[in-house]
Amino acid sequence: MRILPARDDVLLVEVDDLDQALALHGSLRASPVPGVGRPVPGARTLLVPFDPWRVGARDLAAVLRDRVATARQAAGQPGSGAAGGRTVEIPTVYDGADLADVADLLGWSAEEVVRRHAAASWVVGFVGFAPGFAYLTSDDDGLVVPRRDTPRTRVPAGSVALAGPWSGVYPRESPGGWQLIGRTDVVTWDADRDPPTPWAPGDRVRFTVVRESVRGRSAGEVGGSGRGRRSGPPTSPRTTDLAGAAPSGPGLDVVTPGAQALLQDLGRPALEHLGVSASGAADPRSLRAANRAVGNPPGAAAVEAVGGLRLRARGPVVLALAGADAGAVVHPAGAPDEGRAAPFARPFLLADGDELALGHPARGWRTYVAVRGGVDAPPVLGSRATDTLAGLGPAALGPATRLAAGPGGAADAVAAHDVGAPSPSTLPAPGEVTTLPLVLGPHDDWFDAAGLALLAGQDWEVTARSDRVGLRLAGPSPLARTPAARGRELPSVGCVTGAVQVPPDGLPVLFGPDHPLTGGYPVVGAVASGHLWLLGQLPPGALVRFRPGATSPHS
């Protein structure tokens, strides 16, 4: 057993196998430790978040060591740590893009791969990576293949895949590094279903070979009665479309969304057991500041914009801006050629028909536009945040989107006061270096001293391929694993925002708010929790310098 740092406010517990990880998870759920959040199981790990001001890292580690000893006794025989036991059938068309490569890796024919994958008895180990993505383990020890050296940026929804000893079904289109061997039309995630995912740890899964996909059937319906069964056609995981809505009362109409405009609040904490990450504003400090300026609760929904946004007031509304200073201009109704500069981090009034236009910031990346009363939109799993990886929450804003202000949105006195917004002049800029304190671990031992020196000694550029899922970094020299770690496969582990994951190509990915909940590439370190807000303000072309050595305030 090892207890390793995963961030200054997160520990990773490594145990012998999945049963012990699930037993330890059950222990923490049944008898919570004060100050500890919801743990995230992995293949043989448990990611344990904690509040450093309520429980110190050393004290928590001691508690976890005692719990692991008990969990080992509770785990007993293999399989006893899991719950459930229902069987879910997955009709599969075996025509995946990597089927031939998998056959070559295993030294089998493609037909043998299909036969053994369908003949194996699969069991749900845990749910992670993305909502509804179940890690399935089988009784066939030969079905073990490495992940792809470079993950795909887009894997189609319904893809049936292999990685290490695991198989899985991608619930929606997303990035991924697993080997694709087939596809299914079974719906494994539906936010309108209760529960949204049809399987839980311990459930059995059987893949059946079909020549045509099975449309319009959810896993709950295919698998018989019980959890996940529902009437009516299933829906795939998708966002709420606000386009064409006709809300009454004051609000905003999107004239031009710019490069990207999303609704964000403070996210969906404590849903990790469903494979749902917290998501929420990429720069929560600026979201809170914009909301404070208009008198909203700090977590009210607001617009997160990446340059070029243009909004038109529908009735009088009070707005405030925070984050990156995009040189916002107010154009009065009926006078589009006239304009006045909009104040920053201060509330201001838009009269009916006035337009607010954002340019492109010289520093920083995201600007937050809060409206008094908050943006009123249908919540999904308790939040109005848009999770771009999971496909949860409102769709990206488009030219036809109409946004309604929530209760209390009517304009009245506009008072200026300090809201504690980060100064735009201190935000990162292209070509400039931003230093980020880094907590090494949990897999820094996959890299030797020279590799760790390279990580900290060179500047890493934020590439244009970056998004809310992760910042893809490029540097003069990629990170090389130790000889012992080359070709080694990492059992999937829970990941945190700010984690620096290193694929085999040696180019780090810095996880953002919409990151996968679990991952299978080593994490060399994580940005300290107090600096995570900066990740949302790193524009393409910015340079990052990591400074290892950050620790928990109570470690």
Side-chain angles (χ1 to χ4, degrees):
M1 183 200 68
R2 295 197 303 171
I3 298 179
L4 306 168
R7 205 172 59 198
D8 55 322
D9 56 352
V10 184
L11 295 177
L12 183 74
V13 184
E14 288 185 351
V15 290
D16 296 330
D17 52 34
L18 175 63
D19 289 310
Q20 289 181 17
L22 292 176
L24 177 58
H25 179 257
S27 170
L28 291 174
R29 296 293 295 150
S31 181
V33 178
V36 171
R38 185 181 288 271
V40 179
R44 56 181 185 87
T45 61
L46 196 68
L47 193 73
V48 183
F50 65 97
D51 181 352
W53 298 103
R54 296 183 62 194
V55 57
R58 288 196 181 95
D59 292 340
L60 177 57
V63 172
L64 293 173
R65 288 189 181 93
D66 291 340
R67 294 288 185 98
V68 167
T70 304
R72 282 181 168 145
Q73 297 176 355
Q77 298 299 316
S80 63
R86 188 171 87 87
T87 298
V88 178
E89 294 185 8
I90 306 293
T92 303
V93 179
Y94 285 93
D95 61 356
D98 301 321
L99 181 59
D101 291 341
V102 168
D104 289 342
L105 287 167
L106 296 175
W108 303 344
S109 67
E111 291 76 15
E112 181 68 2
V113 173
V114 173
R115 186 191 70 78
R116 290 181 66 163
H117 187 266
S121 175
W122 297 91
V123 177
V124 178
F126 57 99
V127 179
F129 173 68
F133 189 97
Y135 287 76
L136 311 175
T137 183
S138 82
D139 56 355
D140 188 337
D141 294 337
L143 282 168
V144 179
V145 295
R147 291 171 172 81
R148 292 172 53 84
D149 286 347
T150 302
R152 288 181 170 92
T153 57
R154 297 176 66 182
V155 174
S159 294
V160 176
L162 291 169
W166 305 93
S167 189
V169 179
Y170 282 79
R172 70 184 302 266
E173 183 181 283
S174 65
W178 289 33
Q179 308 279 4
L180 309 184
I181 62 171
R183 56 190 167 90
T184 182
D185 280 338
V186 166
V187 176
T188 60
W189 173 264
D190 181 355
D192 294 327
R193 186 171 56 198
D194 186 17
T197 184
W199 42 32
D203 284 347
R204 301 175 185 86
V205 176
R206 185 164 65 91
F207 292 91
T208 57
V209 183
V210 295
R211 295 188 180 277
E212 294 181 356
S213 57
V214 181
R215 293 196 176 277
R217 303 172 74 191
S218 71
E221 293 166 328
V222 172
S225 61
R227 179 178 52 255
R229 186 175 179 85
R230 66 185 190 88
S231 60
T235 59
S236 56
R238 63 182 68 250
T239 54
T240 302
D241 188 3
L242 298 178
S248 60
L252 297 165
D253 293 338
V254 178
V255 179
T256 303
Q260 185 185 62
L262 306 171
L263 284 192
Q264 294 296 343
D265 55 21
L266 293 180
R268 300 177 179 84
L271 293 180
E272 292 84 357
H273 62 296
L274 298 177
V276 178
S277 65
S279 186
D283 175 4
R285 283 184 59 181
S286 293
L287 171 75
R288 292 186 179 99
N291 275 320
R292 283 195 297 267
V294 293
N296 290 341
V303 178
E304 179 183 272
V306 180
L309 175 69
R310 194 176 183 109
L311 301 169
R312 181 183 298 120
R314 193 177 60 256
V317 291
V318 175
L319 304 182
L321 306 172
D325 187 350
V329 175
V330 174
H331 298 279
D337 295 332
E338 299 179 12
R340 66 180 187 275
F344 197 81
R346 295 287 188 275
F348 59 94
L349 176 67
L350 285 189
D352 183 39
D354 287 356
E355 293 188 2
L356 173 70
L358 303 186
H360 296 273
R363 311 187 71 89
W365 189 236
R366 291 177 172 87
T367 304
Y368 291 84
V369 184
V371 56
R372 179 167 294 166
V375 177
D376 191 9
V380 177
L381 298 178
S383 170
R384 295 176 173 86
T386 300
D387 185 330
T388 59
L389 176 65
L392 297 175
L397 306 187
T401 306
R402 309 199 78 188
L403 304 175
D412 52 21
V414 178
H417 56 281
D418 183 13
V419 295
S423 172
S425 65
T426 64
L427 296 181
E432 294 185 3
V433 176
T434 297
T435 300
L436 297 174
L438 194 73
V439 180
L440 287 176
H443 308 126
D444 51 314
D445 56 352
W446 285 51
F447 305 88
D448 59 20
L452 296 178
L454 182 65
L455 171 70
Q458 70 180 9
D459 296 335
W460 298 93
E461 182 179 358
V462 178
T463 71
R465 298 174 62 210
S466 302
D467 54 24
R468 284 177 51 88
V469 177
L471 303 178
R472 294 176 179 264
L473 307 180
S477 300
L479 295 181
R481 300 178 181 179
T482 64
R486 291 170 192 162
R488 178 180 168 191
E489 284 293 305
L490 177 72
S492 292
V493 299
C495 296
V496 299
T497 301
V500 181
Q501 190 185 68
V502 186
D505 63 10
L507 299 178
V509 179
L510 181 52
F511 276 176
D514 294 351
H515 67 85
L517 201 62
T518 56
Y521 297 123
V523 172
V524 67
V527 175
S529 57
H531 287 69
L532 294 178
W533 68 273
L534 264 172
L535 306 187
Q537 296 295 356
L538 285 166
L543 301 176
V544 170
R545 175 70 64 95
F546 293 113
R547 189 182 74 240
T551 61
S552 163
H554 292 284
S555 61

